[in-house]
Amino acid sequence: MSADAITDAHLHLWDLSASDYAWMDGTPQLRRDGTWDQVGPRLASLGATRVVLVQADDTPSDTSHLLRTAELIEHGSGAVPAMRADVVAWLPLESPHLVEHLLGDAQFLRRVVGVRHLVHEEPDAGFLERPAVAQCLAMIARAGLVLDISDAYERHMGQVARLARTHPGLTVVLDHLGKPPLGDAFAMRHWEQALAPVAEQENTVAKLSGLATSGDGSLEQAVGVALALFGPDRLMFGSDWPIAPEPFDVDSGTSRLLERIRQQSPADQAQILHGTAERVYRRAGEGSPPD
């Protein structure tokens, strides 16, 4: 793989006719379709050779839309070359029998590399530690899939570390670095203290994604902390398109972040931009990449 290759490990594509996306009621500027044709050409021009499509609604219909879209991306679309496209899917984590059924469905799993639930939308902050959910997470780990944690915020940071300890065979991916409060010096110290126990768990990985909307300050400190705590081999780059910060504008959410990443050594850049994702996001039954 080229040293300049990029995996966008956090890309949203949604179809308003496929699912409700009720959370968009609070962000009406996002309430329009986000399609591959809108974003694919720009990602390709940045060097993307792989994308990971991440669920944005806790419904089977949203996941089905992503699976169909991933197949189209892999076949190529117009001016955008074909590239690998994987899916972080939603599963009904309170229903072990349904999860067991889906994890046994080879067609469903064909492009699935991970599972996510919008825990920040759950009234119960302990959702991921419910007994039925814990049973499903054990199944997910046995299937070789990872668990993405959506916007963790303060109430979930401790839980992420506990989950990683409780499920040592499960790779836990913290999206958006747990939303560091950029620009607030006191809150940033608190965030760093909360992030450290997560990073201490060897089965955790974090995404450098969504930082353009994470507070109102420079991302330099957050990236530095992430590098110090996780190291480049446990960090992944993601655009978080079409969310951050100018809706549907790839560069607004990636230009400063890519500039910062490219201050690292070529080897460290390669890890963050594609190496970590290649190792972490594997399809069911897919072996580890060669060293």
Side-chain angles (χ1 to χ4, degrees), residues 176-252:
H176 314 323
L177 285 184
K179 286 292 189 178
L182 305 182
D184 184 331
F186 176 81
M188 282 293 289
R189 287 193 296 272
H190 189 74
W191 163 80
E192 182 174 352
Q193 291 168 355
L195 186 66
V198 175
E200 287 173 1
Q201 310 307 311
E202 295 182 355
N203 56 325
T204 60
V205 176
K207 287 184 185 176
L208 298 177
S209 59
L211 299 182
T213 56
S214 187
D216 189 25
S218 171
L219 54 76
E220 179 73 27
Q221 180 185 357
V223 174
V225 167
L227 284 164
L229 291 178
F230 287 93
D233 59 341
R234 290 167 60 204
L235 292 174
M236 296 185 281
F237 163 79
S239 70
D240 198 29
W241 189 89
I243 294 174
E246 293 294 329
F248 301 91
D249 180 347
V250 177
D251 292 333
S252 72

Side-chain angles (χ1 to χ4, degrees), residues 4-261:
D4 296 327
I6 289 177
T7 291
D8 184 347
H10 202 95
L11 176 66
H12 297 298
L13 299 177
W14 54 61
D15 179 346
L16 299 185
S17 68
S19 197
D20 289 338
Y21 306 99
W23 60 268
M24 289 185 189
D25 292 345
T27 54
Q29 67 273 24
L30 293 173
R31 188 166 277 287
R32 57 188 174 96
D33 290 347
T35 68
W36 178 242
D37 288 343
Q38 291 172 290
V39 70
R42 181 57 183 144
L43 287 178
S45 72
L46 288 174
T49 58
R50 180 187 181 189
V51 293
V52 179
L53 310 183
V54 178
Q55 64 89 225
D57 212 11
D58 292 342
T59 62
S61 55
D62 174 60
T63 290
S64 294
H65 166 66
L66 294 182
L67 292 171
R68 291 191 300 270
T69 304
E71 183 174 3
L72 293 174
I73 292 171
E74 292 200 344
H75 282 93
S77 174
V80 186
M83 65 179 75
R84 174 162 168 163
D86 299 295
V87 173
V88 172
W90 177 80
L91 291 180
L93 294 178
E94 291 185 283
S95 302
H97 293 300
L98 284 175
V99 169
E100 183 178 28
H101 171 73
L102 288 167
L103 292 178
D105 183 340
Q107 183 62 31
F108 173 80
L109 286 182
R110 189 176 173 195
R111 291 182 175 84
V112 172
V113 294
V115 175
R116 192 175 87 144
H117 183 93
L118 299 181
V119 293
H120 59 290
E121 298 287 335
E122 282 287 340
D124 176 13
F127 174 85
L128 289 173
E129 294 178 293
R130 292 177 181 175
V133 175
Q135 185 179 344
C136 291
L137 296 184
M139 288 188 233
I140 290 164
R142 288 194 294 270
L145 304 178
V146 309
L147 174 69
D148 265 49
I149 304 292
S150 59
D151 295 348
Y153 300 113
E154 182 177 350
R155 71 174 184 160
H156 290 296
M157 292 289 272
Q159 186 181 71
V160 175
R162 291 195 303 273
L163 280 172
R165 287 194 298 269
T166 303
H167 302 276
L170 178 68
T171 297
V172 180
V173 178
L174 180 64
D175 294 346
H176 314 323
L177 285 184
K179 286 292 189 178
L182 305 182
D184 184 331
F186 176 81
M188 282 293 289
R189 287 193 296 272
H190 189 74
W191 163 80
E192 182 174 352
Q193 291 168 355
L195 186 66
V198 175
E200 287 173 1
Q201 310 307 311
E202 295 182 355
N203 56 325
T204 60
V205 176
K207 287 184 185 176
L208 298 177
S209 59
L211 299 182
T213 56
S214 187
D216 189 25
S218 171
L219 54 76
E220 179 73 27
Q221 180 185 357
V223 174
V225 167
L227 284 164
L229 291 178
F230 287 93
D233 59 341
R234 290 167 60 204
L235 292 174
M236 296 185 281
F237 163 79
S239 70
D240 198 29
W241 189 89
I243 294 174
E246 293 294 329
F248 301 91
D249 180 347
V250 177
D251 292 333
S252 72
T254 63
S255 59
R256 286 193 301 146
L257 179 57
L258 287 171
E259 181 180 344
R260 175 61 184 86
I261 292 170

